[in-house]
Every structure is written in structure tokens, then in C-alpha cells.
Amino acid sequence: MPFTLYSAGSNAKGQLANGSLDDASEFAPCHFHPTAAVSHKVGAEEQGEPNFKLWADVRQVTSGANHTLLLLQSHQAVINHLYAAGDPSRGQLGPALADSPTPQSSFQRVQLHLERADHHVVRIAAAWETSYFVFRHTDDRKLTSDVLVSVGANDFGDLGNPAPSSRPNPQSKGKGKQPTSLEHITASPRGSIMS
């Protein structure tokens, strides 16, 4: 059954994904880029703004200072899809959007190099200008460790890597022969904690 995602609040960089850069004092429908496979235009609001219905389940929503991440699971497949809106300037929306000089005021599909047929995103977190993605092998019978990918600012070591970089920073957290599963991840303005 389709539903609409709504947002309100500060929107200086389009992080509300409402199609504008204006702050919103009332909840309004979120917009998705026209190529988003999980949404479609179903009509217009009274003010003429497009209204999009989601044909997917929301798995997780998280936001940083000026960006929002959305993890959806499509009804057609048991694979999660990652979307982002807001400020791409520090690489926090992924490498494909990092070169965009303008904020993304609608949810855009995020493509990371680890998204292959055998891995998919299962958890997300957002710090001030940094994003975190946990990838898991799609075959639960495979004894592989989850992979953490961090992108964006590294001002306080936020990426979990001392080298400053806005490029994806994949890190397998498993040690030895025992695979590691990352079941929890949360972020504060300048860091993250996982278990």
C-alpha cells in the first residue's frame, strides 16, 4: 500500500526533500527525483506542488546537519535502496553527488561502489557532515563480516580513518575467522558508535 513521507523544519540545504530550500513550518510531502523507482507522481496538492507516494517500506531515516538519509525496501524485492537529500559539499551524500555544486532538494538515489548483487545496505547513520552505511552479504549462509562505509567530512576523525578524504572509506570490521555483524550504529554531531 503506498504512503507519503512528510518533513518540516530547517531546510537551508534542501535536507527536507520538499523540493525547495525554504524552511517549512508545516509538514509537507517529500519529493523524490523522477528516476526514483520507489515513487511516482499521483497528482497535485492544492498549491500545485507534486505529491509522491512511496511504493516501498521505510527501514530507516536519519539526518545530519544539512543532509538526510533514507533506507527503503522495495515491495518487488527484498533489497534495500538508499536515498539522500541536502548538502553534498563534503561528500556526505556519496561520491556520485559530491561533485554537485547545488543542494539536492529531493531524495536522490545514492550509489556506492560496494552496492553489488551480493551486498546491500542494512543500516545507516548520519553525523554533522558524515554518513555511515553498513553493508551485508545478501546470502545469510555466507560467513562474511559486515562492511562499514563512511563518507563525508573527517574533521574530527569522523570517518574512522585518520587520513582526510571524502571518498568512500570501506572497512571490514571482522577480525580473524569469526565474521562480525554490525547490529547497531548511531551517530552524534561529530562521531559514531557501533556494535
Side-chain angles (χ1 to χ4, degrees), residues 14-62:
Q15 65 267 28
L16 296 181
N18 64 9
S20 78
L21 300 182
D22 298 327
D23 293 347
S25 60
E26 296 179 5
F27 283 97
C30 292
H31 295 207
F32 286 80
H33 191 271
T35 60
V38 296
S39 68
H40 71 285
K41 189 173 180 179
V42 295
E45 296 292 304
E46 291 178 20
Q47 296 86 8
E49 292 296 317
N51 182 12
F52 290 88
K53 298 284 184 187
L54 283 177
W55 291 86
D57 295 323
V58 175
R59 292 292 177 217
Q60 197 174 352
V61 180
T62 186

Side-chain angles (χ1 to χ4, degrees), residues 5 7 10-24 28-34 49-50 52 66-68 83-88 93 97 100-109:
L5 190 65
S7 62
S10 174
N11 196 34
K13 299 291 183 175
Q15 65 267 28
L16 296 181
N18 64 9
S20 78
L21 300 182
D22 298 327
D23 293 347
C30 292
H31 295 207
F32 286 80
H33 191 271
E49 292 296 317
F52 290 88
N66 288 310
H67 72 291
T68 302
Y83 291 83
D87 182 11
L93 302 187
L97 297 173
S100 175
T102 58
Q104 305 297 311
S105 62
S106 63
F107 279 113
Q108 309 280 327
R109 180 82 184 270

Side-chain angles (χ1 to χ4, degrees), residues 91-168:
Q92 64 268 47
L93 302 187
L97 297 173
D99 294 331
S100 175
T102 58
Q104 305 297 311
S105 62
S106 63
F107 279 113
Q108 309 280 327
R109 180 82 184 270
V110 174
Q111 298 290 335
L112 297 170
H113 73 285
L114 280 178
E115 288 180 316
R116 304 180 305 236
D118 61 349
H119 281 80
H120 64 110
V121 181
V122 293
R123 301 202 194 328
I124 57 176
W128 191 260
E129 291 180 320
T130 309
S131 299
Y132 305 91
F133 313 104
V134 176
F135 284 84
R136 180 165 291 158
H137 200 284
T138 54
D139 185 350
D140 292 336
R141 297 170 293 172
K142 299 263 186 188
L143 296 176
T144 60
S145 291
D146 289 348
V147 177
L148 172 69
V149 174
S150 52
V151 296
N154 198 28
D155 299 335
F156 296 90
D158 309 31
L159 295 175
N161 180 356
S165 173
S166 62
R167 303 183 78 79

Side-chain angles (χ1 to χ4, degrees), residues 67-79:
H67 72 291
T68 302
L69 303 175
L70 176 62
L71 187 60
L72 300 175
Q73 184 180 61
S74 68
H75 290 163
Q76 293 84 13
V78 188
I79 297 293

